[in-house]
Amino acid sequence: MARCCAGTPLLLQLSLLLLLHLGGTLGCASVAVDSPIVPLGSAVTASCTIQRELCHGLEQGKVRISWMLDNKLVAGSQRQGPGGTEVSNLTLPRFNQTQARLWCCVEWNGTKQRVGMAEIRAGYPPAKPLNLSCILNLGDYGLTCQWEQGTDSHLPTRVVLKCAGSRAQAVTGCTPQDEHSHCTVPRRLLQLYRQMEIWVSATNALGTAESEHLRIDPMDVAKLDPPTLQSIQSIPFQTDCIALAWDVARGTEHMELQCELRYRAPEDPAWALVTGIIGRAGTAQRCGFLFGTQYRFQMRCRRSSASALASWSEWSPGRNYTTHEKAPTGSLDTWWGAQPAGAGGRLEVQLRWKAPREANGRVLGYRVTLSPRRRGRDPPTVCNTTRNQCNFSVPAGTRRVYLSAYNAAGESAPTEVVLLERKGQPLAGLRAVSGGERSLWVHWEAPPSPVIAYVLEWQRVTAEPGHCSACWQMERDGAATRALIQDGIEPFQRYNISLYPLYEGTVGVPAHTTAYSQQKAPSHAPKLHLRRISKTEAELCWEPLPVEMQNGFITSYTIFWANSITDMASATVNPSLSSFVIRGLKPSTLYKVHIMASTAAGGTNGTSLTLVTTVLEDTEIQFLFLTLGLVFVLLIVLLICFQKNERMKEQLWPSVPDPANSSLGKWVPAAVPQEPLQVLAAREPGPAAISTVTVLEGEPGKQPGKEPPALPAAPPALPRPYVRQKGPEEPVQYARVGGAGYRGQRLLPAPAPRFYENLRGRGDGGDSGDWGFSEEPPATFPLLQGLRIGGAEELHEYR
């Protein structure tokens, strides 16, 4: 139930909209404007009238009327009209749209409802058509006219072409299709050989415009077919005149025609035009042609009685003709270089020249002689070539040679070439600037002495030197201070330019300069190389770029370097340098370095070079190695000294025998009875070390037991020995064992026994049952635990 009640207002609104729409259709609201089409920018006045009884749902309550221009709200005034109507008036002071819809709306329940509409268009009156012209087609005799429409009026415009005879009413000749600016009047509406008046009329809601009226005879504007060139020949021979024969097109034999002839050589920039050729058909003559030159000829015609508005026919198909040749005329521009040819008394000459300006045909070759040609005698020829240069040798002292050109018709008069010395006054202020992508302007200061002419030379600078024979030109104006070079100039290439002043009787010393017609960034940057490096500095070097890769004058090199934690640093280097030292680096640090080569037009970066600074300087490394070397030498000296000094050697490296390899090892029996040894309670058990082992040998012939009764006093604190004797000739072994650890080796106290004797009787006296020593009995010696020694009475004493 709640949902149903909630949807009731929406249903009421939809019902009201339907009623308002039906009411508007039946005359609920009416919108009136003063004019539906107005000039653009003018004022527009409109009114909207609402009739309550026809607008269902608006019979009660106040009616509010509003306006909308397309989707934009505009304000109007509202008042009570007669018969219970509501009227709203609206005035738009400036209507600046070419087309718009004006809506009348009423408000109901807060919603604007459109109940009436008027469409308004704005524009301009039609523009006057311009440049009307017509052509009569002799195929179907239709008159085709065309014109220029002018500015757009923004309004629907009707355009027609009207025509009228001398005594007839104006009729519509044709109407252009699809807004074109041309149409064709059919033959049935034309009066041939009579004057007719033709114009264009354009009409829209704001007015009418007409073009200028064209008064013509349709036959005057007939476009004829082009004539035909029959033949061309020279008349008479060896002159610069030609005669050509032509014929009219079919269908125009009865007409008196006015024709034009045009021609040009392949190198000519424009056509030469010959006018005033009158007649039905025939011949025409023209003079002033160059000898031995190919020309292309074309012709067109129209009626001679036609007005200036008449159309010409198309140009006839072209016809080529080459005039007859004549011997070359005029002098040749020459330039030379001369130098002695060794010890043979000859002079090497390089002669260059330009092609003759009046070749009068195709030049077959050039001849250089040492004297001019005389009647009936040919001078000796030093060079005969088809090129524009020649190298030859002449006798020393030769100052003149003669150059001539020849073709199939003959040979030119010789040009005298004087081999002058180059020692005249030089020029000053020579400079060259770009004259375009493929040209150079050369400027200089005029010398104080009068100059006859100037010679300009230019050579492209390359890695491999070469010579261009055609890269020169002569400026015959001695007062000139500039010249334009155009032959063989390429962009991004360097040229060496030389200027020679020609004085009376001598040639001046040349001035030189270099230039580019156009520059850009270098093609590549130099490759960096590391020359040396330390902990704070790095010296870099690079090879200069080849001139072909520079593409301009190198203005600077820029070195960039950076490590992984600092910003990039840079330095600018003069282009004349090829090395640079980077200072202020951190020790043991990795750096990335690259170089940029720059011209006036831009720069190019090179590849990156990675380098790592050292921990120490070179001097520090040298000092460290020197110190280590001195220490090593000192150690060697000390070792040698120790090796030579036996006493010091014994003190530092005592010779300790290996007990395992002593004779004591032979005393171990095959089976050792397991008898426990008595160990003094006062001594802690533990490993014992052998401190001294001494081997004594008895003298031969000495009997045991017959030694002297007493020996000199023995050292005090000797350990008890153990002696085993077998025979008179067997060595006696003596061992002294200490239980307090190893204390080094020492010699037996003097005097040592020299023969076999029983050491039992040696000592300071005392009990006859012991050995006479104050140390512990040998039973405490751990080595005896593994020994079985013959003689129970001797072992019994230790127990």
Side-chain angles (χ1 to χ4, degrees):
M1 183 65 181
R3 184 178 299 175
C4 180
C5 294
T8 301
L10 179 59
L11 294 176
L12 290 176
Q13 293 178 9
L14 293 176
S15 301
L16 180 59
L17 289 175
L18 179 60
L19 292 174
L20 289 175
H21 177 70
L22 295 175
T25 305
L26 299 175
C28 170
S30 62
V31 178
V33 294
D34 53 354
S35 176
I37 300 176
V38 297
L40 192 64
S42 62
V44 174
T45 302
S47 63
C48 179
T49 302
I50 303 295
Q51 299 182 14
R52 289 176 179 269
E53 62 274 9
L54 296 180
C55 296
H56 301 288
L58 295 180
E59 295 87 350
Q60 303 297 330
K62 182 175 178 60
V63 177
R64 295 181 179 178
I65 305 174
S66 59
W67 296 88
M68 293 185 69
L69 186 63
D70 286 338
N71 295 320
K72 181 181 178 182
L73 185 65
V74 292
S77 62
Q78 185 176 342
R79 60 182 175 83
Q80 187 86 25
T85 60
E86 293 290 335
V87 179
S88 177
N89 296 320
L90 173 67
T91 299
L92 300 175
R94 291 182 62 85
F95 189 76
N96 293 322
Q97 297 175 249
T98 58
Q99 186 174 0
R101 290 184 177 184
L102 184 62
W103 295 93
C104 177
C105 306
V106 296
E107 296 185 10
W108 180 81
N109 198 17
T111 304
K112 297 184 185 305
Q113 307 297 333
R114 298 178 179 181
V115 295
M117 185 270 293
E119 187 171 359
I120 304 174
R121 302 192 66 167
Y124 301 104
K128 179 180 178 180
L130 303 173
N131 300 329
L132 175 62
S133 62
C134 300
I135 295 176
L136 181 66
N137 187 356
L138 294 181
D140 58 1
Y141 284 91
L143 185 66
T144 301
C145 299
Q146 61 182 5
W147 60 91
E148 296 178 9
Q149 189 60 48
T151 57
D152 186 12
S153 65
H154 304 294
L155 295 174
T157 303
R158 181 174 181 269
V159 180
V160 296
L161 180 68
K162 294 187 175 183
C163 57
S166 58
R167 298 180 181 179
Q169 296 293 328
V171 295
T172 299
C174 59
T175 301
Q177 301 295 325
D178 300 329
E179 299 182 357
H180 292 161
S181 297
H182 60 83
C183 64
T184 300
V185 180
R187 170 68 180 85
R188 58 184 176 82
L189 299 179
L190 299 178
Q191 296 179 2
L192 300 182
Y193 300 103
R194 291 187 179 182
Q195 290 289 326
M196 293 188 66
E197 191 172 0
I198 300 172
W199 70 95
V200 179
S201 176
T203 304
N204 65 15
L206 298 181
T208 300
E210 293 182 352
S211 67
E212 295 290 339
H213 288 220
L214 187 63
R215 294 176 176 84
I216 57 170
D217 178 357
M219 290 301 297
D220 290 343
V221 294
K223 187 170 184 178
L224 308 179
D225 292 334
T228 303
L229 293 175
Q230 298 292 340
S231 64
I232 305 174
Q233 60 182 0
S234 299
I235 54 161
F237 189 69
Q238 290 290 326
T239 65
D240 59 352
C241 298
I242 65 166
L244 56 91
W246 56 280
D247 196 4
V248 298
R250 182 180 302 178
T252 60
E253 298 86 352
H254 61 284
M255 297 182 184
E256 190 71 21
L257 301 180
Q258 176 186 359
C259 300
E260 292 180 343
L261 174 70
R262 69 177 185 180
Y263 61 90
R264 71 172 178 181
E267 63 274 8
D268 292 340
W271 294 87
L273 188 64
V274 180
T275 60
I277 302 176
I278 306 297
R280 290 187 175 91
T283 61
Q285 294 185 7
R286 177 67 179 176
C287 297
F289 294 94
L290 299 178
F291 293 96
T293 305
Q294 184 185 63
Y295 290 91
R296 186 169 182 83
F297 296 87
Q298 287 181 312
M299 197 172 188
R300 67 178 181 178
C301 299
R302 68 177 179 180
R303 288 183 61 200
S304 60
S305 60
S307 63
L309 299 177
S311 298
W312 289 94
S313 68
E314 298 294 337
W315 288 102
S316 66
R319 187 181 180 93
N320 295 330
Y321 178 74
T322 302
T323 59
H324 62 268
E325 293 187 354
K326 183 181 178 181
T329 56
S331 61
L332 302 176
D333 289 339
T334 59
W335 183 235
W336 70 93
Q339 58 183 357
R346 306 285 292 181
L347 187 67
E348 287 289 337
V349 179
Q350 182 190 48
L351 183 63
R352 292 179 286 171
W353 56 87
K354 296 292 185 181
R357 289 182 291 272
E358 300 178 8
N360 297 333
R362 187 173 66 91
V363 175
L364 300 179
Y366 301 89
R367 183 178 289 109
V368 180
T369 60
L370 296 179
S371 61
R373 180 184 299 272
R374 291 183 174 87
R375 182 175 301 177
R377 185 177 60 180
D378 291 335
T381 300
V382 296
C383 183
N384 192 348
T385 180
T386 58
R387 302 172 60 190
N388 286 62
Q389 69 167 358
C390 185
N391 297 334
F392 54 89
S393 63
V394 295
T398 303
R399 289 291 174 263
R400 286 177 175 81
V401 294
Y402 298 88
L403 173 67
S404 60
Y406 58 89
N407 60 15
E411 187 171 353
S412 67
T415 299
E416 185 182 50
V417 181
V418 182
L419 305 179
L420 302 175
E421 296 183 3
R422 299 178 179 180
K423 59 181 181 179
Q425 185 177 4
L427 292 173
L430 180 65
R431 60 187 179 90
V433 296
S434 174
E437 184 178 348
R438 298 181 182 275
S439 61
L440 288 168
W441 276 108
V442 182
H443 300 263
W444 64 87
E445 297 178 5
S449 302
V451 177
I452 300 174
Y454 295 96
V455 174
L456 270 170
E457 277 188 342
W458 61 94
Q459 292 290 333
R460 178 175 168 178
V461 182
T462 58
E464 297 181 358
H467 188 76
C468 174
S469 61
C471 298
W472 68 280
Q473 68 185 39
M474 179 174 289
E475 298 294 328
R476 294 193 173 275
D477 185 5
T481 57
R482 69 171 188 169
L484 180 64
I485 301 175
Q486 292 179 299
D487 295 339
I489 301 297
E490 297 290 337
F492 319 125
Q493 300 298 325
R494 183 184 300 179
Y495 291 90
N496 288 334
I497 301 173
S498 303
L499 181 64
Y500 298 82
L502 303 183
Y503 300 103
E504 185 69 33
T506 187
V507 178
V509 176
H512 307 282
T513 188
T514 58
Y516 282 88
S517 64
Q518 187 176 355
Q519 300 187 54
K520 68 176 181 179
S523 301
H524 303 284
K527 184 177 180 180
L528 285 176
H529 301 279
L530 181 62
R531 179 175 292 174
R532 65 175 180 85
I533 190 169
S534 63
K535 69 177 183 179
T536 59
E537 294 182 356
E539 184 177 2
L540 306 173
C541 61
W542 58 90
E543 293 293 334
L545 282 175
V547 68
E548 295 91 341
M549 299 297 178
Q550 294 182 13
N551 300 330
F553 293 111
I554 300 297
T555 57
S556 65
Y557 294 110
T558 306
I559 310 295
F560 299 90
W561 67 92
N563 58 23
S564 59
I565 59 175
T566 60
D567 295 334
M568 180 173 289
S570 64
T572 302
V573 183
N574 191 287
S576 61
L577 301 178
S578 59
S579 63
F580 179 73
V581 178
I582 303 176
R583 295 182 171 85
L585 302 179
K586 296 180 180 179
S588 187
T589 305
L590 184 143
Y591 286 89
K592 296 282 188 177
V593 186
H594 72 272
I595 187 172
M596 181 179 71
S598 301
T599 65
T604 301
N605 287 321
T607 56
S608 179
L609 174 66
T610 302
L611 53 90
V612 180
T613 53
T614 59
V615 179
L616 300 174
E617 295 284 357
D618 292 341
T619 55
E620 295 174 349
I621 296 175
Q622 294 173 1
F623 178 77
L624 179 61
F625 275 106
L626 181 60
T627 303
L628 293 176
L630 292 175
V631 171
F632 181 75
V633 170
L634 182 60
L635 290 176
I636 296 297
V637 172
L638 290 176
L639 289 175
I640 294 174
C641 292
F642 291 159
Q643 187 70 22
K644 297 296 183 181
N645 192 335
E646 294 294 336
R647 183 177 181 182
M648 187 176 295
K649 178 179 178 181
E650 290 293 335
Q651 290 293 330
L652 296 179
W653 297 285
S655 177
V656 180
D658 186 2
N661 297 323
S662 67
S663 300
L664 189 61
K666 300 178 182 180
W667 294 358
V668 179
V672 180
Q674 300 294 327
E675 297 183 5
L677 297 177
Q678 295 180 357
V679 183
L680 295 179
R683 183 180 299 273
E684 292 293 332
I690 297 175
S691 60
T692 305
V693 176
T694 306
V695 178
L696 301 177
E697 295 182 1
E699 296 180 359
K702 185 71 177 179
Q703 297 296 324
K706 296 183 179 182
E707 64 273 14
L711 293 173
L718 285 176
R720 293 180 183 272
Y722 171 74
V723 179
R724 182 183 181 186
Q725 53 187 12
K726 283 188 177 181
E729 298 299 326
E730 186 177 358
V732 177
Q733 298 176 352
Y734 169 80
R736 184 180 62 184
V737 181
Y742 173 76
R743 300 179 180 272
Q745 182 179 4
R746 62 179 181 177
L747 300 175
L748 289 175
R754 293 175 297 176
F755 51 90
Y756 178 77
E757 63 178 347
N758 192 350
L759 296 180
R760 178 183 293 271
R762 297 186 61 180
D764 297 335
D767 190 357
S768 62
D770 72 69
W771 292 75
F773 295 98
S774 59
E775 293 189 8
E776 297 293 332
T780 63
F781 184 34
L783 185 62
L784 294 180
Q785 295 179 10
L787 299 177
R788 291 291 294 175
I789 307 175
E793 67 280 7
E794 296 173 357
L795 184 61
H796 178 74
E797 293 180 9
Y798 288 97
R799 294 180 179 178

